[in-house]
Amino acid sequence: MSDTPLLTATDLGYAYQEAGQSHTVIDHASLELAKGELVALLGASGSGKSTLLNLLAGIDQADSGSVVIAGHNISTLQEPDLTLFRRQHIGFIYQLFKLIPTLTVFENIALPLELCQIGTAQRLQQVSDWLHQIGLQNRQHAFPDQLSGGEQQRVAIARALIHQPMLVLADEPTGNLDAETGLHVLDLLTNLAEQHQQTLVIVTHSETVARRAHRVLEIHNGKLHSASSQLAW
């Protein structure tokens, strides 16, 4: 891993308003992520884990602080530049897959390349290669509702990684799968991210996922901490 951080988040704060009261979700959170690092993010339900991912990606705008990715302060970017930056440099994986139901496996995986304006011949070759890497070359014409949960998550992983983003954010990627399938999906995700030197942040409740990480962080009462051995395991 490089000594130069890929991502630096400084003093992030985020709150929402309800019934005239302010509720703090993220409270002065700071972190650095190295290139090629795998970080597990732990915390109770509602602790702000998903919100933190959204802040790191610029999906939600922090009330305070900044996020710098590869020298780009995304906190200062405006649309459509922010969307273009995410499209090119960030990949997302969700617990509920979020595949487009009207697109085939092949078309779902190809979508990020189309959005990045990759030429047809190169796009076809890359998708074909990735279908082999995830073991779904015989399912390329299937639609998401024809796939098992594990197959859908493999497609989601390929879609998130195919355009070679610097940063991959995964929100409970094994949370909707049985233990055995989840382990296979975790192996695939971590191996592919390592192979392509991508920085990977995984929100999880899984002890197995946390044990794979280079580093474990935890959110508690809006504060971000390095997890103790008791918290992590």
Side-chain angles (χ1 to χ4, degrees):
M1 290 179 289
S2 171
D3 292 334
T4 302
L6 173 75
L7 179 149
T8 302
T10 305
D11 203 28
L12 293 179
Y14 185 84
Y16 67 92
Q17 303 293 320
E18 185 177 65
Q21 293 188 333
S22 179
H23 299 270
T24 298
V25 181
I26 303 296
D27 187 8
H28 299 287
S30 298
L31 75 154
E32 291 185 347
L33 301 174
K35 181 179 180 181
E37 186 176 21
L38 167 55
V39 174
L41 181 60
L42 307 181
S45 295
S47 62
K49 302 183 301 296
S50 297
T51 298
L52 181 59
L53 288 194
N54 287 342
L55 295 178
L56 295 181
I59 294 173
D60 291 335
Q61 291 297 312
D63 299 321
S64 62
S66 64
V67 177
V68 177
I69 301 175
H72 300 272
N73 187 344
I74 68 168
S75 306
T76 64
L77 292 179
Q78 302 297 317
E79 299 294 353
D81 293 334
L82 185 54
T83 295
L84 291 173
F85 184 88
R86 281 197 300 267
R87 182 181 296 172
Q88 294 172 352
H89 301 301
I90 301 176
F92 297 89
I93 303 167
Y94 302 95
Q95 179 177 349
L96 296 177
F97 321 132
K98 291 195 176 182
L99 301 178
I100 298 176
T102 56
L103 299 183
T104 65
V105 166
F106 192 101
E107 291 165 340
N108 266 283
I109 296 173
L111 184 59
L113 300 180
E114 292 186 49
L115 294 174
C116 291
Q117 299 183 334
I118 302 299
T120 301
Q122 184 179 352
R123 187 168 67 243
L124 293 175
Q125 184 60 58
Q126 287 190 42
V127 175
S128 179
D129 291 344
W130 275 85
L131 282 166
H132 279 81
Q133 289 190 67
I134 65 173
L136 291 178
Q137 61 270 26
N138 295 325
R139 302 288 278 154
Q140 61 178 314
H141 300 301
F143 289 91
D145 64 359
Q146 298 172 313
L147 304 177
S148 69
E151 288 173 331
Q152 289 187 65
Q153 197 60 296
R154 280 188 274 165
V155 174
I157 288 170
R159 183 183 61 181
L161 272 60
I162 191 170
H163 60 299
Q164 299 184 19
M166 297 182 288
L167 177 65
V168 179
L169 304 173
D171 197 350
E172 292 281 5
T174 63
N176 208 40
L177 306 172
D178 64 77
E180 183 178 357
T181 302
L183 185 59
H184 289 315
V185 165
L186 177 62
D187 286 340
L188 178 68
L189 173 58
T190 55
N191 289 339
L192 287 171
E194 181 178 6
Q195 177 184 334
H196 294 279
Q197 276 292 289
Q198 290 159 312
T199 300
L200 176 59
V201 181
I202 303 181
V203 165
T204 185
H205 289 99
S206 168
E207 177 180 325
T208 302
V209 174
R211 288 187 183 278
R212 295 285 187 90
H214 300 130
R215 188 157 49 106
V216 179
L217 302 175
E218 190 203 32
I219 295 181
H220 181 66
N221 291 332
K223 300 283 190 180
L224 187 64
H225 307 276
S226 293
S228 67
S229 58
Q230 289 81 9
L231 291 171
W233 320 124

